[in-house]
């Protein structure tokens, strides 16, 4: 067995855990110790994170790892796994948030039934996410994609005794399935043109094809639209503001923190690797989508009274920043060729770093909002006023989360936005870049105002009657929130390590282009 | 063996895709929406097979792909039907116009 089979370790651990959880639940019931399944889930997430650290070290040493499942020939583009710095970066992020959410769920989901299924689905969700980031061919990616999507539909509808999760989940299922089928349609055309779905082989074959460019652009559009549904780029975002608030708070954190990032990851991975950005102009499309996403979602966020709905719209805003960052990178490469490599690196690094910051920040905010809802029993912002005063630990961490997403300087969210905006302003003569980046700056200021307004309502106003009797949540719930808050502060003051990681991730994504 | 003319199949695949999409957009019945999804799945699977016929031979992996894709489609449909049953328990109806309380 080749050494690089360690790639499969986290995926195997998570799937095995998902299969074993109902069994553990059964024994736990027999022994009258039901909490054992929660402990088991936390251990499984810890183990997968540990095995990912092993993969991380291996990737640091070798640059990249590939692994073929043996019965299939690599030549045909069979089942293959490919891991580079960018994949490991994403996978670590997915597992880290999975661990926090599983710790948080121990107390938060205490009153629900069917928790073995909850943890099983959560493990399949994270296994799917890790599989997506490790997939080396498009069909393999599609299978993990569906594993992730199916478990997230089921998790959104987890509290099926209420009407809202049912409707939201149905809407999410229909829209997201159309999206993934559109992407599969694009894959089928790619397979027909090239005879392979292996990502690195596709990258080698595409430039040699002698077919009209329109067909290739059709594929690019289908991939952006297809995966853009899950990434919630604006014309395809309608499911998100319903599905994310309807899910239990831990799952909202997973969905907003990492699942939509998987969509962005797949778009970036496929477009940058398979279609050379110097030859194909998809940067302009991504920039325009980014701007539309930012502006529409910012406007919609202002109109919300439901705290989780507001946070859901803010997730769409942040997807706008990330897509814009990737777009500027691709645009610079397309316009300036290899000379645009430094701009592209800066913008893409900002986008990748922002993926990290938003996952941590939005995970924190949804978990914190869950704490408030747990105590006050309402999601209405008017009723939640002053809740932060009654719950100082949650309130302080929640404010840190809001400040990092607002891009206040000492926190980590500031750095990623700075990189994206700096990259946009590098070439003063390029009107398109300057105008779009100015729009992003305006939107960032606009967003900062409502984050601060939300913070002022929760932290500074006099407590409303519904939160009068609220007090700090149990330690297992507040611990993940506080740790996430600390991460934003520490990485804000000392961002160099994570920036270095984001930079090598960027280089491995853009690797073939400028070297 | 001569290469069969598969343009017709490709057009059929696109038509299936569009018909399914039309069904999802226009019909407000949850079961019909699910049927629409299945028609889209069928169109995409057909397209996968059609585009992989080269010189009269089917590329072997395409068959695996389509088989797995059908299984995934079945999983999606069963989950969607589960949600439909729950919706019926809540509202006594599977009409999306009646059930829809969310702001779209």
């Amino acid at each position: 067995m080749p050494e690089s089979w360690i790639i499969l370790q986290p995926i195997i651990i998570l799937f095995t855990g998902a299969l074993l959880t109902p069994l553990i639940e059964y024994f736990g019931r027999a022994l009258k110790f039901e909490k054992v399944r929660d402990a088991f889930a936390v251990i499984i997430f810890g183990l997968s994170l540990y095995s990912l650290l092993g993969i991380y070290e291996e990737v640091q040493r070798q640059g990249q790892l590939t692994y073929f499942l043996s019965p299939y020939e690599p030549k045909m583009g069979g089942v293959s796994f490919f891991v580079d710095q960018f994949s490991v970066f994403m996978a670590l992020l997915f597992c880290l948030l999975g661990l926090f959410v599983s710790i948080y769920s121990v107390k938060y989901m205490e009153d629900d039934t069917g928790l073995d299924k909850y943890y099983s689905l959560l493990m399949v969700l994270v296994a799917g996410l890790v599989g997506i980031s490790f997939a080396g061919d498009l069909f393999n990616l599609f299978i993990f994609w569906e594993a992730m999507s199916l478990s997230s539909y089921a998790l959104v509808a987890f509290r099926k005794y209420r009407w809202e999760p049912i409707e939201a989940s149905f809407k999410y299922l229909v829209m997201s399935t159309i999206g993934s089928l559109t992407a599969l349609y694009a894959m089928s055309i790619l397979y027909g043109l090239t005879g392979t779905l292996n990502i690195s082989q596709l990258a080698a074959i595409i430039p040699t094809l002698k077919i009209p460019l329109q067909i290739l652009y059709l594929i690019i559009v289908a991939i952006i639209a297809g995966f853009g549904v899950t990434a919630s780029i604006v014309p395809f975002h309608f499911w998100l503001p319903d599905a994310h608030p309807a899910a239990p708070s831990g799952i909202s954190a997973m969905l907003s923190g990492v699942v939509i990032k998987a969509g962005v990851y797949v778009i970036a991975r496929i477009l940058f690797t398979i279609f050379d950005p110097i030859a194909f102009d998809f940067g302009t499309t991504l920039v325009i989508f980014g701007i539309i996403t930012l502006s529409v979602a910012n406007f919609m966020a202002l109109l919300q009274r439901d705290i989780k709905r507001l946070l859901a719209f803010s997730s769409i805003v942040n997807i706008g920043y990330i897509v814009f960052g990737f777009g500027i990178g691709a645009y610079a490469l397309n316009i300036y060729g290899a000379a645009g490599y430094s701009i592209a690196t800066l913008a893409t690094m900002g986008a990748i770093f922002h993926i990290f910051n938003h996952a941590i920040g939005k995970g924190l905010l949804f978990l914190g909002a869950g704490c408030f809802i747990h105590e006050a029993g309402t999601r209405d912002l008017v009723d939640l006023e002053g809740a932060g005063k009654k719950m100082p630990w949650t309130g302080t961490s929640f404010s840190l989360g809001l400040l990092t997403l607002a891009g206040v300087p000492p926190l980590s969210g500031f750095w990623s936005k700075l990189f994206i905006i700096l990259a946009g302003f590098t070439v003063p003569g390029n009107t398109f870049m300057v105008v779009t980046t100015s729009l992003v700056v305006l939107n960032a200021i606009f967003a900062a105002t409502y984050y601060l307004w939300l913070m002022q309502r929760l932290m500074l106003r006099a407590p409303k009657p519904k939160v009068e009797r609220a007090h700090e949540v149990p330690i297992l719930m507040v611990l993940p929130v506080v740790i996430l808050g600390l991460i934003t502060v520490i990485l804000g003051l000392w961002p160099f390590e994570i920036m270095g990681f984001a930079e090598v991730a960027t280089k491995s994504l853009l690797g073939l282009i400028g070297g | 063996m001569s290469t069969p003319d598969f343009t017709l199949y490709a057009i059929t695949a696109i038509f299936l895709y569009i018909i399914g999409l039309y069904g999802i957009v226009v019909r407000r019945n949850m079961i019909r929406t699910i049927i629409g999804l299945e028609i889209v799945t069928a169109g995409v699977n057909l397209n996968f097979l059609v585009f992989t016929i080269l010189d009269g031979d089917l590329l072997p992996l395409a068959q695996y792909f389509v088989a797995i894709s059908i299984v995934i489609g079945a999983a999606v449909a069963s989950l969607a039907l589960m949600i439909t049953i729950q919706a019926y328990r809540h509202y006594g109806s599977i009409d999306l116009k009646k059930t829809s309380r969310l702001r779209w």
Side-chain angles (χ1 to χ4, degrees), chain A residues 202-218:
Chain A
L202 277 173
I205 294 174
I206 290 283
T208 64
L209 285 179
K210 290 186 177 48
I211 52 160
L213 270 181
Q214 283 89 335
I215 296 179
L216 292 175
Y217 275 112
L218 182 75

Side-chain angles (χ1 to χ4, degrees), chain A residues 244-490:
Chain A
H244 288 197
S249 289
I251 301 308
S252 311
M254 268 327 263
L255 290 174
S256 259
V258 292
V259 170
I260 56 177
K261 305 300 185 311
V264 181
Y265 167 83
V266 172
I267 291 176
R269 170 65 80 190
I270 294 180
L271 291 188
F272 277 89
T273 313
I274 297 180
F275 300 97
D276 186 354
I278 295 178
F280 292 93
D281 178 22
F282 54 81
T284 322
T285 323
L286 286 182
V287 167
I288 291 169
F289 268 129
I291 293 291
I292 295 172
T293 307
L294 272 168
S295 316
V296 172
N298 254 336
F299 180 70
M300 293 298 291
L302 262 190
L303 306 174
Q304 306 307 321
R305 264 186 64 158
D306 178 336
I307 181 168
K308 282 175 90 174
R309 226 177 141 79
L310 194 154
L311 294 177
F313 273 109
S314 131
S315 290
I316 307 178
V317 174
N318 283 283
I319 286 295
Y321 289 120
I322 296 165
V323 170
F324 178 80
F326 282 122
I328 282 286
Y331 178 80
L333 282 172
N334 186 247
I335 296 288
Y336 303 110
Y341 188 68
S342 59
I343 308 173
T345 316
L346 192 61
T348 316
M349 184 176 121
I352 292 176
F353 192 19
H354 200 71
I355 289 180
F356 180 85
N357 285 333
H358 180 246
I360 296 292
K362 196 46 66 69
L364 193 167
L365 288 181
F366 267 115
L367 295 183
C371 293
F372 290 136
I373 295 162
H374 185 264
E375 286 301 310
T378 174
R379 280 172 17 196
D380 196 326
L381 268 176
V382 178
D383 290 335
L384 279 174
E385 274 179 11
K389 278 187 176 170
K390 294 278 172 186
M391 302 157 72
W393 288 95
T394 317
T396 314
S397 311
F398 194 85
S399 314
L400 281 175
L402 287 174
L403 290 175
T404 187
L405 288 189
V408 174
L411 298 169
S412 58
F414 165 73
W415 298 104
S416 49
K417 279 190 189 173
L418 183 73
F419 290 141
I420 296 173
I421 290 165
L422 273 184
F425 282 136
T426 331
V427 190
N430 190 323
T431 326
F432 178 73
M433 271 164 75
V434 170
V435 168
T436 50
T437 314
S438 314
L439 283 171
V440 170
V441 174
L442 278 180
N443 269 305
I445 296 166
F446 186 66
T449 54
Y450 71 72
Y451 289 131
L452 292 178
W453 169 77
L454 179 61
M455 182 177 147
Q456 184 252 348
R457 288 187 95 160
L458 285 173
M459 295 299 291
L460 301 178
R461 297 221 180 148
K464 285 273 167 137
K466 282 207 177 176
V467 294
E468 264 316 323
R469 269 173 305 166
H471 43 78
E472 194 56 82
V473 286
I475 178 102
L476 277 177
M477 271 170 79
V478 82
L479 192 68
V481 180
V482 171
I483 294 177
L484 286 169
L486 281 178
I487 291 178
T488 62
V489 176
I490 293 168

Side-chain angles (χ1 to χ4, degrees), chain B residues 9-40:
Chain B
Y9 295 98
I11 292 171
T12 315
I14 293 176
F15 264 105
L16 281 174
Y17 184 90
I18 293 168
I19 290 168
L21 218 54
Y22 174 82
I24 293 165
V25 173
V26 173
R27 296 292 170 180
R28 309 306 318 173
N29 182 312
M30 286 172 99
I31 301 282
R32 290 187 188 185
T33 310
I34 297 168
I35 293 173
L37 275 182
E38 287 305 296
I39 295 174
V40 175

Side-chain angles (χ1 to χ4, degrees), chain B residues 21-95:
Chain B
L21 218 54
Y22 174 82
I24 293 165
V25 173
V26 173
R27 296 292 170 180
R28 309 306 318 173
N29 182 312
M30 286 172 99
I31 301 282
R32 290 187 188 185
T33 310
I34 297 168
I35 293 173
L37 275 182
E38 287 305 296
I39 295 174
V40 175
T41 315
V44 173
N45 287 339
L46 180 62
N47 201 52
F48 229 115
L49 291 175
V50 168
F51 273 87
T52 49
I53 302 170
L54 296 174
D55 309 323
D57 285 332
L58 198 63
L59 289 183
L61 267 173
Q63 298 179 18
Y64 294 114
F65 291 163
V66 171
I68 295 170
S69 169
I70 289 171
V71 173
I72 291 173
V76 172
S78 57
L79 191 65
L81 286 169
M82 183 280 283
I83 297 172
T84 312
I85 293 170
Q86 292 296 335
Y88 186 76
R89 284 190 187 154
H90 279 275
Y91 301 102
S93 161
I94 47 169
D95 190 342

